[in-house]
């Protein structure tokens, strides 16, 4: 696939794909005319990269994780780091759910001042 097609299907910019290449997160080969071509797996790889970034993982960690996704193997130190990241993500989810509950209460009380808002306590 060419760069524009991958960008469209993955919902990212061409610039993001170039950045992922620079960070060694995504590989492409060049045609004799210099155009980038990506494997069919590039779209799912880009979506995974996006998810890992959205979860707060830095490029360095993403670069280490991607080969593990492919091979199913990871060194013990990386596993420890991933467990720590998972704990951090779980805490972030808990925090976000609490904020969502508070917003639900604000919305409810704004719509109906007599509403019973259980999360406001």
């Amino acid at each position: 696939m060419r760069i524009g097609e991958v960008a469209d299907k993955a919902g990212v910019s061409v610039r993001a794909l170039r950045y992922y290449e620079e960070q060694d997160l995504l590989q492409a080969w060049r045609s004799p005319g210099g155009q980038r071509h990506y494997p069919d797996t590039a779209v799912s790889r880009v979506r995974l990269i996006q998810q890992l970034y959205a979860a707060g993982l830095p490029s360095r960690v993403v670069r280490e994780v991607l080969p593990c996704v492919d091979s199913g193997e990871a060194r013990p130190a990386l596993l420890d780091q991933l467990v720590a990241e998972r704990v951090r993500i779980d805490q972030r989810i808990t925090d976000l759910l609490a904020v969502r509950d508070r917003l639900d209460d604000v919305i409810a009380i704004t719509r109906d001042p007599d509403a019973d808002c259980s999360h406001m306590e």
Side-chain angles (χ1 to χ4, degrees):
M1 277 189 276
R2 292 178 51 188
I3 194 167
E5 186 179 1
V6 174
D8 287 343
K9 287 184 176 184
V12 299
S13 67
V14 167
R15 183 175 180 198
L17 295 178
R18 290 184 186 126
Y19 174 77
Y20 297 160
E21 281 186 62
E22 289 171 11
Q23 296 298 310
D24 291 325
L25 303 174
L26 187 65
Q27 281 71 42
W29 67 93
R30 300 283 184 139
S31 70
Q35 294 179 331
R36 287 177 169 91
H37 290 274
Y38 296 89
D40 293 337
T41 58
V43 172
S44 61
R45 174 62 57 122
V46 169
R47 288 181 179 150
L48 174 59
I49 293 167
Q50 289 282 296
Q51 291 169 337
L52 294 170
Y53 276 150
L57 276 69
S59 295
R60 169 186 54 75
V61 175
V62 173
R63 189 176 311 109
E64 290 181 61
V65 168
L66 291 176
C68 301
V69 171
D70 295 334
S71 70
E73 298 175 3
R75 57 186 175 73
L78 178 58
L79 282 177
D80 291 344
Q81 185 174 3
L82 295 177
V83 168
E85 288 292 341
R86 189 179 190 293
V87 168
R88 183 189 59 77
I89 291 168
D90 281 344
Q91 184 58 56
R92 182 74 176 131
I93 290 168
T94 299
D95 294 345
L96 288 170
L97 289 171
V99 170
R100 184 191 65 187
D101 289 344
R102 295 297 300 259
L103 289 175
D104 285 346
D105 287 342
V106 170
I107 292 166
I109 208 152
T110 301
R111 289 186 176 156
D112 180 7
D114 296 325
D116 177 29
C117 295
S118 60
H119 301 103
M120 295 298 271
E121 300 167 0

